Amino acid sequence: MVGVPLARRAKRRAHHAPRKMTSVLEYAQLGWASCMGAHPLSEGGRACSCDRVGCPDPGMHPLSPAWQMQATTDTALLTRWWKQDPDANVILPTGRVFDVFDVPASAGRPALAAMDAAGFDTGPVAENGDRVLFFVATRGAPEDEDEWWSCSLDAGPETIDSTPGLRWHCRDSYVLAPPSTTPSGGVVSWIRPPDGRPLPDPLRVLDLLADFCE
């Protein structure tokens, strides 16, 4: 009885690990830097592969506090990292090539349908559990500091009255990228995978999303 679930877990690891390495190498070809993230654990009494006891966000954060410096498009380095830890999740820093609008699926799904109906090119769109991620051209570091909003994953966007539930990941932030695994056993996945085309204007996407996040 014990051998069957162990074999299944091994099969799942063998299935997901190569996909993660393949994905980071594909991201590198797009010019998207990535770094290693912690991953959820289902054995051993710990929920997360990081060193933090009682991690409050298992498998949903970078492995190293120096993740901004480590994130790279160097394929040799990325290959070495994921060979050493093939289960590591994939972290993409934002505010470099792209920003990400992170919204509840209850708003993101109908917004995506409305964009399609209007003939709007959404660019890459991913799904992480009950969140939908819209990848847009980065605002970078505009001269007017009021024109950007840096938001980490543990922020509380529900306190923002104008767009409750919306997170704008730009500089100093990151997102968990496909095909990372989540504590619930799910996998972050692409709804619209990146294809190398120019990313959409963030302010146009924000204007469309805001209507569905009110």
Side-chain angles (χ1 to χ4, degrees):
M1 295 295 292
V2 175
V4 174
L6 287 176
R8 287 176 180 169
R9 284 195 292 270
K11 185 176 181 180
R12 285 198 296 269
R13 286 194 297 269
H15 175 66
H16 289 303
R19 289 180 54 207
K20 290 179 179 178
M21 180 184 292
T22 299
S23 293
V24 295
L25 296 179
E26 290 174 348
Y27 296 149
Q29 290 179 350
L30 293 170
W32 295 10
S34 56
C35 64
M36 300 179 75
H39 62 87
L41 298 176
S42 58
E43 302 171 357
R46 293 173 55 201
C48 185
S49 66
C50 72
D51 295 331
R52 186 174 180 181
V53 177
C55 176
D57 207 13
M60 303 288 284
H61 59 86
L63 265 179
S64 170
W67 61 271
Q68 293 190 67
M69 296 177 60
Q70 291 179 349
T72 183
T73 58
D74 185 327
T75 56
L77 187 55
L78 293 168
T79 298
R80 187 167 81 242
W81 284 348
W82 265 269
K83 279 186 176 179
Q84 293 172 345
D85 189 358
D87 290 324
N89 274 341
V90 181
I91 296 293
L92 297 179
T94 53
R96 300 184 183 186
V97 177
F98 53 81
D99 291 352
V100 173
F101 291 118
D102 173 352
V103 300
S106 58
R109 283 288 187 176
L112 182 59
M115 292 176 189
D116 289 342
F120 182 83
D121 187 1
T122 63
V125 182
E127 189 168 40
N128 181 356
D130 61 355
R131 309 289 299 185
V132 175
L133 313 178
F134 291 80
F135 286 66
V136 297
T138 184
R139 294 286 286 167
E143 293 182 4
D144 183 352
E145 289 294 316
D146 291 334
E147 291 186 0
W148 72 277
W149 168 28
S150 182
C151 176
S152 60
L153 290 179
D154 59 357
E158 66 278 358
T159 62
I160 300 168
D161 294 334
S162 59
T163 53
L166 185 147
R167 307 172 187 178
W168 183 345
H169 298 282
C170 44
R171 69 186 190 193
D172 302 327
S173 189
Y174 60 86
V175 291
L176 193 66
S180 297
T181 51
T182 65
S184 65
V187 178
V188 184
S189 59
W190 288 111
I191 300 174
R192 305 275 170 83
D195 56 12
R197 287 184 292 177
L199 298 172
D201 181 343
L203 297 186
R204 286 192 65 198
V205 176
L206 178 62
D207 186 50
L208 291 166
L209 288 176
D211 291 338
F212 291 87
C213 291
E214 291 178 350

